[in-house]
């Protein structure tokens, strides 16, 4: 009955459009990470340079998510999405026909952030069509478009091996154009689209402490997912690749491992939203943050079997994915009238977290110590701190806006 009510309550073509837009955008957003081993081979990068190269698209996405979120509130999600996809063609053409120097690759990566900024459009497009009791599921389905990462990590290395890594950017234009056409035909702005506000009114949400808390929590869940999705290829190859050991895995096989972890995170995102709808996002997030901390510690054991490591990292990515869905089950309940801009702001924090993880933690610590252990110990410490902070903050929410009378589930 609950699933039937969900189907009747919203607008499925728009939900599907949001998913497809987010899916192809996420695929494009992580292209540098998906072919990072081939780019590294061409330019001979250090550990820190590798991390920077895969992190720059995440930074670009973080910067652009807020203006894209504001634009979706002002002119509508459909128009904003169309503009975003058209602009995304520019870095793809540049990567295909150019990208002859590392500085060009960095510039291309930053411009790919336009695709990452789709988050601030796709989620409001879907979420505005559905009532509060189905927000977790609707946001989870739209957000499951981060499965586009799996498409990039699966096909990217194969195409790069045969045609060269530049061609991967050219091939990506094809699905982008197909999704653009379907978006034009199917997407429709909700009648619940808010009235445009002034820039000052939009940015007033920064005055709320809860805005910053949501930013922190999403920087962990989405930042962890996107940062690891971009960096795990480098991580796996350093430990289990054919240059690290005799009979080790090839770059294409490493791409398969990363794809499995990404699929785990992507598939579990809507599950996280669904469970959060049933038992409450706050309770579920508390468990997830604890599990992420434990998985980070298990990675530091550096098991000799890549299958054991795959199980650990996939579990961690699944928890991060469910955490993404759970955060955005709570956000619309707190900021009902500012969902577009708050989605952009919180999404930007997630993208910024994804940039910080490889660029300031995993990459530099690997270069400084010669091992990935220090980076994941640091990640575990951050996870533990956030677990304790979330426990305290969620208790205060129950005494303020998240009351039983407001309809929030615990």
């Amino acid at each position: 009955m609950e699933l039937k009510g969900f189907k009747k309550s919203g607008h499925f073509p728009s939900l599907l459009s949001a998913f497809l837009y987010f899916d192809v955008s996420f695929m494009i957003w992580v292209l540098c990470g998906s072919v990072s081993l081939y780019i590294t081979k061409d330019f001979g990068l250090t550990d820190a340079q590798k991390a920077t190269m895969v992190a720059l698209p995440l930074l670009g996405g973080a910067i652009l998510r807020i203006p894209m979120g504001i634009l979706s509130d002002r002119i509508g999600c459909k128009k904003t999405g169309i503009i975003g996809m058209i602009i995304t063609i520019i870095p793809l053409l540049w990567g295909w026909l150019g990208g002859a120097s590392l500085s060009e690759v960095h510039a291309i990566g930053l411009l790919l952030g336009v695709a990452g900024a789709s988050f601030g459009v796709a989620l409001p497009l879907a979420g505005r069509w559905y009532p509060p009791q189905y927000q977790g599921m609707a946001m989870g389905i739209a957000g499951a478009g981060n499965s586009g990462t799996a498409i990039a990590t699966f096909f990217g290395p194969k195409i790069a091996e045969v045609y060269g890594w530049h061609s991967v950017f050219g091939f990506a234009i094809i699905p982008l154009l197909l999704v653009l056409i379907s978006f034009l035909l199917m997407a429709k702005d909700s009648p619940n689209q808010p009235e445009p506000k002034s820039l000052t009114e939009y940015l007033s949400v920064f005055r709320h402490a809860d805005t910053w808390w949501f930013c922190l929590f999403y920087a962990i869940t989405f930042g962890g997912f996107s940062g690891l999705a971009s960096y795990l290829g480098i991580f796996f190859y350093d430990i289990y690749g054919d240059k690290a050991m005799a009979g080790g895995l090839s770059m294409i096989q490493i791409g398969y491992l990363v794809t499995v972890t990404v699929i785990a995170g992507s598939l579990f995102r809507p599950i996280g939203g669904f469970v959060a709808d049933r038992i409450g996002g706050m309770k579920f997030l508390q468990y997830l943050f604890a599990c992420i901390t434990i998985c980070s510690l298990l990675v530091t054991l550096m098991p000799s079997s890549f299958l054991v490591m795959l199980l650990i990292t996939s579990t961690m990515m699944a928890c991060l994915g469910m955490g993404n869905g759970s955060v955005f089950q709570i956000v619309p309940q707190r900021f009902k009238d500012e969902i577009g801009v708050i989605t952009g702001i919180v999404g930007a924090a997630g993208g910024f977290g994804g940039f910080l993880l490889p660029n300031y933690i995993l990459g530099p610590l690997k270069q400084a110590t010669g091992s990935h252990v220090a980076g994941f110990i640091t990640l575990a410490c951050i996870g533990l701190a956030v677990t304790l902070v979330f426990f305290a903050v969620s208790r205060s929410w129950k005494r303020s806006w998240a009351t039983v009378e407001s309809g929030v589930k615990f």
Side-chain angles (χ1 to χ4, degrees):
M1 289 296 291
E2 196 163 327
L3 187 58
K4 186 181 291 185
F6 173 77
K7 289 179 179 178
K8 290 182 177 179
S9 65
H11 187 249
F12 181 74
S14 292
L15 179 60
L16 178 60
S17 297
F19 168 79
L20 292 174
Y21 170 40
F22 197 34
D23 195 59
V24 75
S25 296
F26 218 104
M27 177 196 77
I28 291 166
W29 194 29
V30 299
L31 280 184
C32 287
S34 72
V35 295
S36 59
L37 297 177
Y38 296 89
I39 297 175
T40 297
K41 186 178 177 182
D42 275 8
F43 295 110
L45 307 182
T46 65
D47 291 318
Q49 287 175 322
K50 294 176 191 176
T52 299
M53 186 261 296
V54 300
L56 281 174
L58 305 178
L59 176 63
I63 293 170
L64 292 170
R65 281 184 175 190
I66 295 176
M68 287 285 274
I70 293 174
L71 197 62
S72 69
D73 273 350
R74 291 192 66 83
I75 68 172
C77 296
K78 181 170 183 175
K79 290 179 182 177
T80 306
I82 292 168
I83 292 169
M85 281 185 270
I86 291 172
I87 294 175
T88 300
I89 296 173
I90 296 171
L92 291 179
L93 286 171
W94 192 0
W96 176 29
L97 304 174
S101 66
L102 184 58
S103 60
E104 280 191 64
V105 173
H106 285 169
I108 291 166
L110 279 171
L111 285 175
L112 289 176
V114 177
S118 62
F119 183 91
V121 183
L123 266 64
L125 174 64
R128 287 184 181 133
W129 279 103
Y130 291 87
Q133 66 267 31
Y134 297 123
Q135 280 295 314
M137 191 179 296
M139 292 293 219
I141 291 172
N146 58 26
S147 59
T149 308
I151 300 172
T153 56
F154 185 82
F155 291 104
K158 285 186 172 184
I159 296 172
E161 189 74 31
V162 178
Y163 301 104
W165 63 265
H166 292 280
S167 64
V168 177
F169 292 86
F171 276 108
I173 296 173
I174 299 171
L176 176 62
L177 291 176
L178 293 175
V179 171
L180 175 57
I181 293 169
S182 67
F183 195 85
L184 284 164
L185 296 174
M186 294 193 302
K188 182 180 178 182
D189 285 319
S190 166
N192 297 318
Q193 176 81 12
E195 290 295 322
K197 301 177 183 178
S198 68
L199 183 61
T200 303
E201 288 177 303
Y202 281 122
L203 298 183
S204 66
V205 294
F206 281 112
R207 295 201 299 263
H208 299 288
D210 291 339
T211 299
W212 297 99
W213 287 126
F214 283 127
C215 285
L216 171 64
F217 302 140
Y218 203 64
I220 299 300
T221 60
F222 184 80
F225 175 84
S226 59
L228 288 175
S230 296
Y231 191 77
L232 279 177
I234 296 169
F235 170 74
F236 278 124
Y237 195 66
D238 282 348
I239 302 172
Y240 306 109
D242 50 22
K243 285 192 175 181
M245 62 173 70
L249 301 175
S250 68
M251 288 188 279
I252 290 180
Q253 290 172 320
I254 291 295
Y256 295 155
L257 295 189
V258 179
T259 300
V260 171
T261 64
V262 168
I263 288 175
S266 302
L267 288 181
F268 276 87
R269 175 162 184 151
I271 293 174
F274 176 76
V275 174
D277 279 342
R278 300 297 296 271
I279 71 172
M282 285 182 279
K283 181 189 293 185
F284 194 39
L285 265 175
Q286 189 70 64
Y287 299 144
L288 292 172
F289 281 133
C291 289
I292 291 164
T293 302
I294 293 169
C295 288
S296 299
L297 286 173
L298 291 175
V299 170
T300 65
L301 300 177
M302 295 294 164
S304 58
S305 169
F306 72 85
L307 290 175
V308 175
M309 181 63 84
L310 181 63
L311 177 62
I312 296 169
T313 52
S314 295
T315 302
M316 180 160 62
M317 290 289 269
C319 290
L320 290 167
M322 287 188 287
N324 294 333
S326 298
V327 169
F328 271 95
Q329 188 265 352
I330 305 171
V331 168
Q333 299 179 69
R334 174 63 180 86
F335 294 100
K336 296 181 178 67
D337 298 325
E338 304 92 356
I339 186 61
V341 67
I342 198 69
T343 297
I345 292 169
V346 176
F352 193 61
F355 167 73
L356 292 177
L357 179 58
N359 198 49
Y360 284 93
I361 298 176
L362 300 181
L365 287 175
K366 166 61 168 60
Q367 183 162 311
T369 65
S371 169
H372 288 285
V373 171
F376 280 92
I377 287 178
T378 302
L379 184 57
C381 292
I382 294 171
L384 177 60
V386 171
T387 302
L388 298 175
V389 168
F390 183 80
F391 179 80
V393 172
S394 61
R395 300 287 82 75
S396 72
W397 286 345
K398 291 182 181 181
R399 294 191 299 269
S400 55
W401 61 270
T403 60
V404 174
E405 292 77 15
S406 69
V408 176
K409 283 190 176 180
F410 302 109

